[in-house]
Amino acid sequence: MTSTALPAAPSRASARPLPRALGRMLSLDDFEGLARRRLPRPIFGYVAGAAEDNQSLQGNRQAFAHYAFTPRVLVDVSRRTQQTELFGRAYASPFGIAPMGISALSAYRGDIVLARAAREQNVPAILSGTSLIPLEDVIREAPGTWFQAYLPGDPAKIDALVERARRAGYETLVLTVDIPVSANRENNVRTGFSTPLKPSLRLAWDGLTRPRWLAGTFLRTLLAHGMPHFENSFATRGAPIVSASVLRDFTARDHLSWDHVARIRRQWPGTLIIKGILHPRDAALARRHGVDGIIVSNHGGRQLDGAVSPLRALPGVVAQAGSMTVMMDSGVRRGSDVLKALALGARCVFVGRPFNYAAAVGGQAGVEHAIGLLRAEVDRNMAMLGINRVREMDASFLCPEGAQPG
C-alpha cells in the first residue's frame, strides 16, 4: 500500500537553538552516558542489556569493523541527496527508529516523542507492541508510523490485534518473529527489572535518586494518564507496568508458523513486513507468502545469544529476497554503518537504543538532534566516498579487512 509522501527535506526544527546538554552530544554514543545517569538502574539496564553473555550484542558492532571503504575521488558530489523510497513513500534519509518496548518509561510519552521526531525529520518509525501508550494515540499524533506486533498465541487474538491496528489507521504492519520463547535476560535480574516492575525499597531508591526522571517522567505520567499499562500486545489492555501481584500475559508463541503469516497476509490490506529474519531460506519463504519487506535482525542481541550479526547475514538474505524490500537493524551507530549496510543490499536501516537514550536526555528535541547527527554523518561520508545518491552505494565501495581492493 502506498501513501502520500512527505517532503524529503528535514524539518525546520533542525535549525532551532540546542539546549546546552544536547549541544554536548556529538555522536549517537554520547547519549548513552547521560541517559545512564538520568534513568533508574532497572530502566537503563532493560534498554542497554542483551541476552546471556552479550556475544551477539558485541558481534553486531564488530561486524561493521570487518569492512573498510574504498572511496572514489574527483567525483562531483555537489548534488548529494539521501532521499530514500520505501513502499511508495519518500523519506529524507535511509534510516529510521526501531521499535523499543516501554519507551514511555525512558521519557515522558516516549512512544509519541519518538514517533513525532521521526515524522518531523521524515524518517520511518516503528511503534513497539510492548509499548505503554495506546497505538491509537500514537498514530493520531504521528500519522505514518509503522506498528510492530508480537503475535499472540491463538488465531482469534491475532485477528483481533491485526484488526485493531487496521482500524486505527496503520498502513504498515511489522511482525517480529524471533521470539518463540522468552530470552534469557540475566541482566534484567541483576538490575532489578521485571515486567511488571515489583514495588520494593530498591526500586523506590532508584527512583528517588533520579529526581529529574521521577518528577518529569514517572510522576508526570501518573498524574496526567494514570498507571502505565502494556497497551498494544493484544486487542485489549494488558498488565500495569508496576504491580505487586498482577502478572503479564506471556502467551506461548512456540507453535507459531508460516501458516499464521499466510492468515495475516489474507487479512492485512497494507504493507506487511517480517522482522527477525537471518536465514536465507526464511527470506525465500517470506517472499512466497506475499510479504512486502523484511528486516534482517537479531533483536539487537536480546534474543538468541550467539546469533549471527545482521550485517553478516545480509548478503545471503538479499540473494533470496527477490522483489521484497530488505532492511536491517542491530548495531548501527554511525553514518558509516548505514552506508555499509546499504552497500550489502539493505534499502534502509533502523536504530534503537541510541534514539531511546536521546529521548531520555532531551525528549523530542533530543531525538531530532540524534537524527540530525546521523544524517550529517551519512551526508559527509557520501561526499568522501564519491556518491550523490544512496542507491549508488554498492559492494564495490567495500573491502573486507585483510583483502585487497579489486
Side-chain angles (χ1 to χ4, degrees), residues 123-162:
V123 296
I126 310 174
L127 174 67
S128 171
T130 55
S131 46
L132 304 178
I133 298 176
L135 59 85
E136 292 84 358
D137 294 354
V138 177
I139 195 73
R140 188 182 308 117
E141 294 282 346
T145 302
W146 303 2
F147 177 62
Q148 173 247 358
Y150 291 107
L151 296 182
D154 67 76
K157 289 183 177 180
I158 293 173
D159 291 349
L161 179 60
V162 172

Side-chain angles (χ1 to χ4, degrees), residues 6 8 17 50 57 74 82 86 103 129 135 189 229 273 291 303 377:
L6 291 175
L57 178 68
L74 295 175
Q82 298 178 41
L86 298 173
S103 295
L135 59 85
V189 178
H229 284 61
I273 297 169
V291 172
Q303 289 303 117
E377 290 179 359

Side-chain angles (χ1 to χ4, degrees), residues 69-73 75 77 80-82 333-340 342 373-390 392-393 397:
F69 287 122
T70 52
R72 301 296 305 274
V73 297
V75 178
V77 290
R80 297 187 306 283
T81 174
Q82 298 178 41
R333 296 294 181 272
R334 288 283 189 180
S336 56
D337 301 337
V338 175
L339 291 167
K340 287 175 183 179
L342 299 186
L373 290 173
L374 192 58
R375 176 175 285 143
E377 290 179 359
V378 171
D379 177 73
R380 188 181 302 114
N381 289 342
M382 287 175 64
M384 289 191 283
L385 282 164
I387 62 174
N388 282 290
R389 295 171 178 80
V390 290
E392 298 172 32
M393 195 68 198
F397 288 93

Side-chain angles (χ1 to χ4, degrees), residues 57-340:
L57 178 68
Q58 295 162 7
N60 289 343
R61 290 299 301 136
Q62 293 165 357
F64 288 100
H66 177 70
Y67 293 97
F69 287 122
T70 52
R72 301 296 305 274
V73 297
L74 295 175
V75 178
D76 179 356
V77 290
S78 62
R79 302 180 306 280
R80 297 187 306 283
T81 174
Q82 298 178 41
Q83 182 168 323
T84 301
E85 185 174 307
L86 298 173
F87 311 111
R89 175 170 174 171
Y91 291 99
S93 293
F95 60 82
I97 299 180
M100 291 169 283
I102 70 168
S103 295
L105 285 189
S106 295
Y108 176 70
R109 308 300 277 169
D111 302 303
I112 290 175
V113 160
L114 291 163
R116 277 179 173 170
R119 182 170 173 81
E120 282 291 315
Q121 294 298 315
N122 193 20
V123 296
I126 310 174
L127 174 67
S128 171
T130 55
S131 46
L132 304 178
I133 298 176
L135 59 85
E136 292 84 358
D137 294 354
V138 177
I139 195 73
R140 188 182 308 117
E141 294 282 346
T145 302
W146 303 2
F147 177 62
Q148 173 247 358
Y150 291 107
L151 296 182
D154 67 76
K157 289 183 177 180
I158 293 173
D159 291 349
L161 179 60
V162 172
E163 177 60 17
R164 179 186 170 195
R166 187 195 66 77
R167 287 198 315 269
Y170 286 87
E171 297 179 345
T172 302
L173 179 65
V174 181
L175 306 179
T176 293
V177 296
D178 56 359
I179 50 165
V181 295
S182 297
N184 184 18
R185 305 267 182 92
E186 296 167 1
N187 64 288
N188 286 353
V189 178
R190 294 189 176 100
T191 60
F193 181 85
S194 62
T195 53
L197 290 162
K198 303 297 182 184
S200 66
L201 289 175
R202 178 179 176 182
L203 182 62
W205 178 252
D206 281 322
L208 289 170
T209 54
R210 304 295 194 282
R212 186 196 300 246
W213 174 87
L214 183 63
T217 300
F218 191 67
L219 293 180
R220 186 180 176 191
T221 299
L222 283 180
L223 291 172
H225 307 283
M227 177 63 70
H229 284 61
F230 288 95
E231 298 283 0
N232 304 315
S233 297
F234 304 98
T236 56
R237 197 179 208 196
I241 190 60
V242 179
S243 175
S245 58
V246 176
L247 296 178
R248 185 178 168 197
D249 186 351
F250 288 97
T251 303
R253 300 183 177 97
D254 55 1
H255 64 287
L256 294 173
S257 71
W258 287 100
D259 290 341
H260 295 88
V261 174
R263 181 187 182 100
I264 293 169
R265 178 70 285 180
R266 291 192 296 269
Q267 181 184 1
W268 182 254
T271 300
L272 183 63
I273 297 169
I274 290 185
K275 176 180 180 291
I277 284 181
L278 292 170
H279 201 293
R281 291 181 186 173
D282 287 335
L285 282 167
R287 174 168 45 85
R288 288 202 288 271
H289 280 79
V291 172
D292 301 298
I294 54 178
I295 300 177
V296 184
S297 170
N298 66 13
H299 218 108
R302 297 166 72 86
Q303 289 303 117
L304 173 63
D305 197 27
V308 64
S309 71
L311 190 75
R312 295 183 188 275
L314 195 53
V317 170
V318 169
Q320 295 296 322
S323 61
M324 290 189 303
T325 297
V326 178
M327 298 158 284
M328 195 202 87
D329 71 16
S330 304
V332 176
R333 296 294 181 272
R334 288 283 189 180
S336 56
D337 301 337
V338 175
L339 291 167
K340 287 175 183 179

